[in-house]
Amino acid sequence: MQDKLQKFMFEHAAIRGELVEISEAWQQVQVRHDYPDAVKTLLGEMLAAAALLSANLKFNGTLIMQIHGDGPVRLLVVECDSELQLRATAKLAPNAVISPNAKLSDLVHVHGNGRFIMTLAPKNPLPGQQVYQGIVPLDGDNIASVIEYYMQHSEQLDTKLWLAADQHVTRGLLLQKLPHQGGTPQNKEENADENLESNEDPLETWNRTVMLASTLKYEELLATDIQNLMHNLFWEETIRVFDAQHPSFHCSCNREKVGNMLKMLGQTEIEAGLAEQETLDIACDFCGLHYSFDKIDCAQLFLDETGVDVITDTNHSKH
């Protein structure tokens, strides 16, 4: 079954929705790492959430979602670009012991210092264009509530999420109330020919739609494909459905990027590493691909395009 993201709109209401199910890309993440079950659940839910949020962005670049933890899980990272290409990784504390039933707070918020970070990195930044980043403390008992808190406090968007993941599939539902300006939705992305408004109060419409979605149980979200989920939840609503999109696994690592990372460490540290071993072997945290740099490779990192060593000897003096 091909991974699928389905966008839809509620007719006569300023509410958009999305459903996503990711199996193939999720398996590609898991086959590269042997994470404990509780960590898989969190990372899988983040994977679905990243796809849902990325699909709403008019942005040529990558959404990077991170949770920095102070418990047995130190870092959770999911990236999704404008083509819905996904990758994900996690870092655990040394000798971490993780219960299969461990909750979010047990894993990343033990001492109350966990934080959630959302970054938008442009693919081809314009001169002076900055990377956007929002940081909030972890507020919530699960991934969905953490992201809802972020969207409300950093983006001022009413957003509700339902997420579920196991070793086979991760699914998610997003509802978002479109912002208004002068009684008209600001984002008319997919609403060119219909009046979105009804006689019902917009807040009442939003609350009713959220109430319908809230009947969805975790087990039902895991067990039901998104086409049936949409029907089961919103069969009484008039919904406009758009062409499906297809998330996929893709890692953007390459030798040049790894070389640039080594350059950032500096020539002194690189030479110290080479003194201990003949080559520096770097493995990508996301896909596990290995890159090897020997002494010649490392020396070339510090040459400019003309082949001149750009590192100067500060101890050299002219006579």
Side-chain angles (χ1 to χ4, degrees):
M1 180 178 64
Q2 189 176 22
D3 296 343
K4 183 177 180 181
L5 185 143
Q6 184 68 69
K7 301 174 76 170
F8 57 95
M9 295 290 301
F10 291 83
E11 298 284 15
H12 312 297
I15 301 171
R16 64 183 169 198
E18 296 174 17
L19 279 158
V20 69
E21 57 187 7
I22 304 173
S23 179
E24 291 184 12
W26 179 217
Q27 296 304 313
Q28 289 294 315
V29 171
Q30 293 182 80
V31 76
R32 290 166 166 82
H33 303 282
D34 185 22
Y35 296 130
D37 288 344
V39 177
K40 288 181 182 178
T41 298
L42 294 184
L43 202 61
E45 291 178 1
M46 285 178 67
L47 198 76
L52 291 167
L53 294 179
S54 294
N56 279 331
L57 295 175
K58 299 301 182 184
F59 172 75
N60 184 21
T62 301
L63 180 149
I64 306 167
M65 190 181 292
Q66 302 176 62
I67 290 180
H68 289 257
D70 61 4
V73 176
R74 298 297 170 83
L75 180 66
L76 298 164
V77 184
V78 174
E79 297 183 4
C80 184
D81 67 14
S82 50
E83 303 299 320
L84 296 187
Q85 297 181 125
L86 294 149
R87 64 179 190 169
T89 190
K91 288 187 180 296
L92 309 185
N95 303 316
V97 177
I98 297 176
S99 165
N101 299 317
K103 304 300 183 184
L104 179 69
S105 58
D106 303 323
L107 297 176
V108 299
H109 204 44
V110 176
H111 305 293
N113 298 317
R115 61 192 188 277
F116 177 80
I117 302 173
M118 187 88 77
T119 304
L120 296 180
K123 183 177 181 179
N124 299 304
L126 300 172
Q129 185 177 6
Q130 300 295 315
V131 171
Y132 170 82
Q133 188 172 82
I135 304 174
V136 296
L138 287 185
D139 190 285
D141 298 326
N142 51 52
I143 297 295
S145 57
V146 167
I147 297 173
E148 288 170 0
Y149 178 86
Y150 172 87
M151 295 300 293
Q152 181 62 52
H153 288 79
S154 293
E155 307 298 329
Q156 287 75 55
L157 283 174
D158 288 316
T159 304
K160 294 295 291 183
L161 282 164
W162 292 262
L163 304 168
D166 61 15
Q167 69 270 31
H168 303 295
V169 67
T170 175
R171 289 193 179 92
L173 165 64
L174 175 145
L175 293 177
Q176 199 165 70
K177 184 168 67 173
L178 299 178
H180 279 61
Q181 188 172 30
T184 302
Q186 291 179 358
N187 189 331
K188 302 181 74 173
E189 166 192 357
E190 294 142 344
N191 309 284
D193 56 8
E194 295 284 346
N195 176 17
L196 293 176
E197 298 300 326
S198 67
N199 293 327
E200 188 175 13
D201 179 82
L203 182 59
E204 291 182 3
T205 303
W206 169 250
N207 289 338
R208 178 174 57 82
T209 306
V210 171
M211 181 182 68
L212 288 173
S214 296
T215 62
L216 180 62
K217 304 300 182 185
Y218 194 94
E219 295 76 13
E220 181 185 3
L221 182 53
L222 275 180
T224 312
D225 66 77
I226 60 176
Q227 183 175 349
N228 284 312
L229 280 172
M230 186 184 301
H231 174 75
N232 294 347
L233 293 172
F234 306 119
W235 63 274
E236 291 185 312
E237 306 298 313
T238 304
I239 291 176
R240 187 189 308 183
V241 179
F242 302 92
D243 291 339
Q245 297 171 265
H246 301 288
S248 61
F249 176 85
H250 173 73
C251 188
S252 58
C253 74
N254 57 46
R255 189 172 180 83
E256 180 182 1
K257 291 181 179 179
V258 175
N260 289 334
M261 180 200 70
L262 291 174
K263 286 172 67 174
M264 292 176 62
L265 295 175
Q267 194 171 27
T268 300
E269 186 164 345
I270 295 300
E271 290 177 348
L274 289 170
E276 298 179 0
Q277 52 196 32
E278 292 185 0
T279 61
L280 299 180
D281 293 312
I282 313 296
C284 175
D285 288 335
F286 291 94
C287 69
L289 191 63
H290 283 75
Y291 298 89
S292 294
F293 289 77
D294 60 20
K295 292 182 179 181
I296 295 176
D297 295 327
C298 291
Q300 290 177 338
L301 295 175
F302 297 97
L303 299 179
D304 67 12
E305 294 179 353
T306 64
V308 177
D309 194 335
V310 297
I311 304 297
T312 59
D313 183 359
T314 56
N315 294 320
H316 178 75
S317 60
K318 291 183 180 181
H319 297 283

